[in-house]
Amino acid sequence: MGAARRIGGHLRAHAIGHHVNALATVCTLCSSSRGPRLSAASFAALLLAGCATVGPDYAPASIAPPQTWHRSDPSITVSPAAAAAELSRWWSQFGDPVLSGLMERALAANTDLRIAQSRLREARARRALAQASETPTLGASASAARNRNSEEAGRGSTTELYRAGLDANWEADVFGARRRGIEAAQADLDATAASLHAVQVTLAAEVALNYIDVRAFQTRLEVARRNLAAQTETWQLTDWRAQAGLLSALESEQARTVLERTRAQIPSLEAGLAQAQDRVAALLAVAPGALDRALFEARAIPAVPERVGVDIPAEVLRQRPDVRAAERRVAAETARIGQAEAARYPQFRLSGSIGLEALRLGALGSSGALASSLLAGVSGVLFDGGRLRSQVAVQEAVRDQALAAYEGAIVTALQEVESALALLQHGRTRLAVLGDAVQAARNAALYATQRYRSGIVDFQAVLDTQRAVLEVEDALAAARADDASAVIRLFKALGGGWATSPSDAAQPIAGETS
């Protein structure tokens, strides 16, 4: 460590000496008879000859993802080529025009997405600002002055002075501070563009998940109301037979208990439906209830695609915009280390002006009215108590934090895909079992009713089978919704919902004017 510091000190001393010598040469040229034009050109040439960008160059972290997924199932995965084609607009695979319409409206109006778009415009402007810092500053000025001395203090004479000219200022980026700033601004822009895509991925998933909730509550309400109608008929028949003395009041009240329990579920399901509808409205940036009610007419839960394209882990990580954003933040913070390091080196400035100066307005055009000046300067910190060195250390720590966040984003991405695959695989097994259970429960209810009417079983068997039908049908509806939600979560984990482009940061965004 001590040797590295000594080497760095020698390098900085050599660089300082080199540029001080350049400044001495400039001063000599400035005093020569050849004039400021040669002096400025020589100064610029000498500075550019010694330019060197300090600080570490960014190199992507070497992270090797697994070759295959731990949980893969041929029934839900297909070739990688199909995966790339399906991901950008994955919701179209559900074949539900209402869902597709909601998605388009959300992608056009969601407030979080508009904020992300504004941040992208801000990042573009900051990059342009960083790029502009490399160019010289050129200004123009003109003035006219008239002074009259008093007769007591002078001769009472009047003097006039007219000036017009151009002023230029330039700071040579000898050690690459501004070049590193442009690097950081470009990486920030790339990260912001990726963050915008991450918002799109999350938004698409949230719209779809809440839409599935709407359809699930509608389906469960339909199941509850259908069972309520059947149980009402059973209770009415039981009550009539109890009044006729064919049954006891106990059986009538048992039938009524089952009926009222089913009726009590309906308000809870209706409240859940209303909340899911309101969540969809919020994602579309409209007030609750503002959506067309025809949009929420009862429809079945969308059928999920039988196959879902899942690419290899390395390609999934490239597709995930949050991973891309994390990697670009590492690049930005690495470039800022160079900015902090360059602040420890001398700064070289060149300024000059050329113009016309005369005592009479008409004389400004004469050859003798030409006036010029040139100033070359160098400045550097001799002692700051270690402040600049500490700033470098701070930025290195910030870079390390960004690197750890990037590695964490990779782990999270892999975990989310594996979890979604497991959820989908086991959910479909549960769905198949519940489908068989519903059919068995319906058959049991039919047999119990027939056997009760034949006097073979008591009325409790009828009530038990009716209650079982409601429970398994409700569970089947929930399982279908869970299956659709698992597919949506898998698409989200794969990074679906935005179109891959090699120049996303340069593309116009919705609502942006040039």
Side-chain angles (χ1 to χ4, degrees):
M1 180 62 73
R5 289 178 177 173
R6 287 195 297 273
I7 292 172
H10 291 322
L11 289 175
R12 286 193 291 275
H14 174 74
I16 293 172
H18 176 80
H19 290 290
V20 168
N21 291 334
L23 179 60
T25 304
V26 169
C27 293
T28 302
L29 291 171
C30 288
S31 62
S32 70
S33 59
R34 302 192 62 178
R37 180 179 302 173
L38 176 60
S39 301
S42 301
F43 184 77
L46 287 168
L47 288 183
L48 291 175
C51 284
T53 303
V54 299
D57 292 326
Y58 173 70
S62 178
I63 299 175
Q67 296 297 317
T68 59
W69 299 108
H70 176 63
R71 298 180 181 91
S72 59
D73 186 342
S75 68
I76 59 175
T77 61
V78 295
S79 65
E86 295 169 354
L87 269 181
S88 62
R89 297 178 63 85
W90 53 260
W91 51 87
S92 61
Q93 298 182 51
F94 285 87
D96 190 321
V98 177
L99 174 60
S100 297
L102 288 173
M103 203 69 71
E104 297 301 325
R105 292 178 64 177
L107 292 173
N110 180 262
T111 53
D112 290 338
L113 192 57
R114 296 207 308 270
I115 291 172
Q117 291 168 346
S118 297
R119 287 174 179 159
L120 181 57
R121 291 195 294 270
E122 176 189 354
R124 287 177 182 168
R126 290 187 181 277
R127 181 190 60 180
L129 186 63
Q131 291 171 335
S133 67
E134 279 202 316
T135 61
T137 301
L138 182 64
S141 63
S143 65
R146 183 176 184 178
N147 298 314
R148 178 180 175 82
N149 296 330
S150 68
E151 294 181 359
E152 293 293 334
R155 298 179 179 179
S157 61
T158 300
T159 59
E160 296 179 350
L161 181 61
Y162 297 92
R163 290 175 176 169
L166 299 174
D167 302 310
N169 293 279
W170 179 56
E171 181 178 337
D173 191 22
V174 178
F175 298 104
R178 288 194 293 277
R179 292 192 294 277
R180 290 301 191 190
I182 294 173
E183 274 184 48
Q186 180 61 55
D188 283 336
L189 174 57
D190 295 338
T192 306
S195 296
L196 169 61
H197 297 319
V199 173
Q200 291 174 328
V201 169
T202 300
L203 174 62
E206 288 301 312
V207 170
L209 288 171
N210 284 284
Y211 178 77
I212 294 299
D213 282 347
V214 169
R215 297 308 183 203
F217 279 116
Q218 289 175 337
T219 302
R220 293 176 64 191
L221 273 169
E222 192 274 333
V223 168
R225 287 166 178 161
R226 186 176 64 248
N227 278 276
L228 180 65
Q231 291 166 4
T232 300
E233 182 178 349
T234 299
W235 172 72
Q236 289 175 342
L237 178 61
T238 304
D239 187 60
W240 176 81
R241 297 183 69 181
Q243 292 178 9
L246 300 176
L247 292 175
S248 67
L250 173 62
E251 293 173 308
S252 175
E253 291 303 311
Q254 287 176 329
R256 185 182 176 188
T257 300
V258 173
L259 166 66
E260 298 302 333
R261 286 182 60 183
T262 302
R263 194 195 308 275
Q265 293 181 8
I266 292 178
S268 177
L269 294 173
E270 289 175 336
L273 173 60
Q275 291 172 350
Q277 291 173 334
D278 290 345
R279 288 195 298 270
V280 174
L283 291 170
L284 271 62
V286 297
L291 291 174
D292 185 359
R293 295 194 64 82
L295 197 65
F296 291 110
E297 290 181 355
R299 295 171 64 102
I301 298 170
V304 300
E306 293 184 2
R307 288 181 174 269
V308 179
V310 180
D311 215 331
I312 60 176
E315 291 302 320
V316 169
L317 293 178
R318 292 189 184 97
Q319 173 70 20
R320 290 267 303 217
D322 56 335
V323 174
R324 168 69 173 172
E327 183 270 336
R328 289 286 80 202
R329 292 189 189 102
V330 178
E333 301 305 338
T334 302
R336 291 191 176 98
I337 295 176
Q339 279 186 295
E341 185 68 34
R344 302 174 62 190
Y345 291 81
Q347 297 177 346
F348 298 85
R349 299 180 182 86
L350 182 67
S351 62
S353 65
I354 185 169
L356 302 172
E357 185 178 85
L359 297 176
R360 293 179 295 106
L361 182 61
L364 282 178
S366 66
S367 59
L370 181 64
S372 63
S373 67
L374 178 65
L375 174 64
V378 59
S379 63
V381 177
L382 296 179
F383 178 76
D384 65 354
R387 179 178 60 85
L388 294 178
R389 185 181 295 108
S390 296
Q391 287 180 346
V392 174
V394 166
Q395 189 55 46
E396 288 174 342
V398 172
R399 186 272 316 273
D400 292 343
Q401 294 170 33
L403 180 59
Y406 170 50
E407 294 172 352
I410 290 177
V411 173
T412 299
L414 297 174
Q415 175 265 320
E416 288 180 353
V417 175
E418 291 284 6
S419 296
L421 287 171
L423 186 65
L424 185 59
Q425 181 179 356
H426 296 298
R428 290 193 168 177
T429 301
R430 173 172 173 259
L431 186 61
V433 172
L434 282 173
D436 294 339
V438 166
Q439 187 60 48
R442 289 172 178 170
N443 291 338
L446 178 63
Y447 297 151
T449 301
Q450 292 175 346
R451 292 167 70 85
Y452 169 72
R453 290 175 178 173
S454 301
I456 300 176
V457 298
D458 60 11
F459 188 65
Q460 186 62 45
V462 176
L463 298 178
D464 290 342
T465 54
Q466 286 184 343
R467 185 165 53 250
V469 168
L470 173 60
E471 291 174 352
V472 294
E473 285 184 343
D474 184 76
L476 179 62
R480 286 174 177 166
D482 289 343
D483 185 41
S485 296
V487 173
I488 294 168
R489 288 187 170 88
L490 179 58
F491 281 129
K492 179 184 178 183
L494 295 174
W498 64 285
T500 304
S501 171
S503 56
D504 289 300
Q507 296 299 318
I509 56 181
E512 181 179 7
T513 56
S514 57

